[in-house]
Amino acid sequence: MRDEIDEFLELSALLTGQYNIVIDPEDATLARPIAAEYRRRLLSVLPDGLRVLIDAYKSITSIEPKPKIDDLLLSALKATQGYKNNEFVAKQIVNIWYFSQFKAEAMGELLDGGYYEEGLVWPLIRAHPIGFSNQPHGYWTKQP
């Protein structure tokens, strides 16, 4: 049975395009605690919008068989009024997963998501997080 973390994780996968965080069992296991913390932080500053977005997601995925998380489902979500009224919140979900940063309001300051080194951006640009590396000292002197 899906719980609130699963729903947020699925919504996150749909919005970020990183479907592996729910499809791949290992990735899903690793992403779940991150999702719990990201959900908690977003709820603390964007509670109504996040709940509406999750409800919109649940409404389009409540059918049997459950639809695949893909571009078609994303189009269906974007067509809902819940998404249209809370697009800013949807963008903050994407921001927190890629950069571990988000905003409480459009012109507000960036808030920390808490998992900077786990940002989805790093594998995409084939780099490690700035200021963080699990490689031994001097690794940068050798050709990859």
Side-chain angles (χ1 to χ4, degrees):
M1 178 161 173
R2 291 177 10 199
D3 64 11
E4 293 173 343
I5 306 301
D6 293 326
E7 291 163 349
F8 177 74
L9 190 56
E10 291 172 9
L11 175 62
S12 297
L14 184 62
L15 292 171
T16 63
Q18 297 296 315
Y19 307 146
N20 59 306
I21 64 174
V22 292
I23 294 171
D24 181 88
E26 186 176 332
D27 286 349
T29 299
L30 294 172
R32 187 171 169 76
I34 297 170
E37 183 60 16
Y38 285 171
R39 180 183 171 277
R40 185 189 72 77
R41 289 181 188 230
L42 289 167
L43 276 173
S44 73
V45 296
L46 300 164
D48 298 334
L50 183 57
R51 287 188 181 102
V52 169
L53 266 178
I54 290 172
D55 286 345
Y57 172 75
K58 287 177 5 184
S59 74
I60 63 170
T61 60
S62 62
I63 60 172
E64 291 295 331
K66 184 177 169 192
K68 275 181 27 177
I69 295 176
D70 60 13
D71 290 345
L72 188 61
L73 186 61
L74 179 60
S75 294
L77 177 66
K78 286 183 173 182
T80 67
Q81 198 61 46
Y83 178 89
K84 290 175 185 175
N85 292 347
N86 294 284
E87 188 173 359
F88 173 78
V89 178
K91 289 177 180 180
Q92 298 321 299
I93 292 171
V94 173
N95 284 342
I96 202 168
W97 279 98
Y98 276 94
F99 307 108
S100 195
Q101 296 180 333
F102 65 103
K103 292 183 177 187
E105 53 192 39
M107 298 306 289
E109 66 183 58
L110 286 169
L111 303 171
D112 182 28
Y115 284 92
Y116 173 76
E117 70 280 359
E118 298 297 328
L120 295 176
V121 69
W122 304 118
L124 289 178
I125 65 171
R126 296 184 183 143
H128 60 75
I130 298 167
F132 176 85
S133 177
N134 59 2
Q135 299 293 316
H137 179 74
Y139 75 93
W140 59 87
T141 63
K142 298 178 178 85
Q143 288 281 33

